[in-house]
Amino acid sequence: MAIHSQCVVLDGKALATLNEASLSARVAALKSRNGNRTPILATILVGDDPASATYVRMKGNACRRVGMDSRLVTLPANTTTQDVLAEIDALNADPDVHGILLQHPVPAQVDERHCFDRISTLKDVDGVTSHGFGLMALGEPAFGPATPGGIMRLLGHYGIDVAGKRAVVVGRSAILGKPMALMLTNANATVTLCHSKTVNLEDEVRRAEVVVGAVGKPKFIRSAWISDGAIVIDAGYHPGGVGDIEHDGLIERCAAVTPMPGGVGPMTISTLIAQTVEAAERGNID
Ligand code: NAP
């Protein structure tokens, strides 16, 4: 085992706190330009999943910390697709709302893709619409999904350039793994996107100079698979503050590691807030 003397801890919590100061100043400037009208991030929460309720509460608190407002639309678990679409239409038409979030996952009877695609691209601050996703994939200006977007901001803040590096992303969900692979590709990494049908995942991870765990299984990626000197990003989150990567010994021999907790999670919320402020600054004007 090589000792890597200068492992950089990618402190998402500290960066998110740092970002809040400049976001607060931007919100204050917006309000003074707009007759004191407060920008709003609206969230639609369908059903009663306690984890989703917690995430929504955290996002609302983060809005208020920078002087924005949040608006919560709660719908019962038996809500139909049409009900959700009607709420989205109302929020799209409301000039006070600058960002719209439909909290994932929605109950099975709701057509999530259809609902996501109803969100105005201008208010799609979590990059969930097909159009917004396509723009992001093409490297055009767009709000990408907040979690991979937050990871790219974190890497950028610490001056980590992934260009030319072999990156392995484990997990290909639409909100995390797939856009992560595209963002890394757009940043000139050479990317392998792994999933449940990948053969010899361990070998793929061993070859990686950048590893992103986005698999949704606690400590699924073993520390022994990770090469000395790698940049390790753990996007997973499980009860007890455990991620998708086993962290044992990584800090002694890797180039950079996200702590768990306090790495990717705070950057997701910070990115969402930053993208909502940006949408408000643009004034939702086509
Ligand atoms: P998801 O939708 O369940 O996707 C999991 C992915 O992992 C799928 O692509 C799946 O492959 C892949 N996978 C499952 N078993 C595998 C295996 N044995 N080998 C290789 N790949 C496998 O999860 P998600 O929503 O992307 O979330 C992933 C993790 O990130 C979770 O821990 C979640 O809590 C966390 N998360 C954190 C934040 C944050 O803000 N910190 C935000 C979002 C998610 P298939 O496609 O083949 O099924």
Side-chain angles (χ1 to χ4, degrees):
M1 181 186 86
I3 299 288
H4 205 283
S5 56
Q6 286 178 324
C7 181
V8 178
V9 176
L10 303 172
D11 191 339
K13 191 161 186 274
L15 179 55
T17 304
L18 188 71
N19 288 344
E20 282 185 1
S22 63
L23 288 169
S24 300
R26 284 165 63 185
V27 171
L30 259 170
K31 284 194 203 171
S32 70
R33 281 203 299 278
N34 296 343
N36 229 22
R37 272 167 59 205
T38 306
I40 293 175
L41 171 65
T43 303
I44 302 173
L45 178 61
V46 189
D48 38 28
D49 174 42
S52 291
T54 302
Y55 296 142
V56 167
R57 214 171 23 251
M58 288 165 74
K59 290 165 187 171
N61 291 342
C63 283
R64 281 179 285 283
R65 282 200 301 275
V66 300
M68 288 201 307
D69 255 343
S70 63
R71 186 186 298 170
L72 177 58
V73 178
T74 49
L75 297 171
N78 64 356
T79 296
T80 64
T81 300
Q82 287 309 318
D83 294 334
V84 181
L85 291 174
E87 293 293 349
I88 293 171
D89 287 344
L91 295 172
N92 279 340
D94 186 335
D96 288 335
V97 171
H98 299 93
I100 301 172
L101 268 188
L102 171 60
Q103 183 65 37
H104 165 86
V106 293
Q109 81 279 2
V110 176
D111 182 341
E112 187 176 75
R113 173 55 31 216
H114 191 174
C115 293
F116 278 159
D117 281 336
R118 193 68 154 249
I119 297 172
S120 157
T121 311
L122 300 168
K123 301 187 182 188
D124 179 20
V125 290
D126 201 16
V128 297
T129 62
S130 302
H131 186 218
F133 190 99
L135 291 171
M136 176 278 301
L138 292 166
E140 297 292 332
F143 299 127
T147 304
I151 291 169
M152 296 309 289
R153 284 169 190 250
L154 194 55
L155 291 171
H157 174 77
Y158 283 94
I160 295 175
D161 184 3
V162 297
K165 290 197 162 48
R166 286 186 305 278
V168 167
V169 179
V170 187
R172 59 173 166 183
S173 72
I175 57 153
L176 180 44
K178 209 171 272 180
M180 183 80 259
L182 290 161
M183 288 180 193
L184 289 167
T185 303
N186 289 342
N188 298 317
T190 302
V191 180
T192 302
L193 181 53
C194 299
H195 45 76
S196 66
K197 306 293 185 291
T198 295
V199 177
N200 284 338
L201 179 67
E202 180 176 340
D203 288 351
E204 298 294 346
V205 174
R206 277 187 198 282
R207 277 191 285 274
E209 296 168 284
V210 180
V211 180
V212 182
V215 70
K217 295 182 177 171
K219 297 189 180 184
F220 179 77
I221 299 166
R222 315 307 296 186
S223 58
W225 303 355
I226 294 172
S227 298
D228 293 347
I231 295 156
V232 182
I233 311 291
D234 192 348
Y237 186 77
H238 305 278
V242 172
D244 286 352
I245 298 177
E246 181 189 48
H247 285 238
D248 306 26
L250 293 181
I251 207 144
E252 284 87 17
R253 60 185 187 83
C254 288
V257 180
T258 54
M260 174 53 64
V264 174
M267 286 309 297
T268 297
I269 295 182
S270 177
T271 301
L272 188 65
I273 302 300
Q275 295 191 153
T276 306
V277 171
E278 204 179 316
E281 285 170 341
R282 289 184 195 165
N284 295 334
I285 295 162
D286 254 319

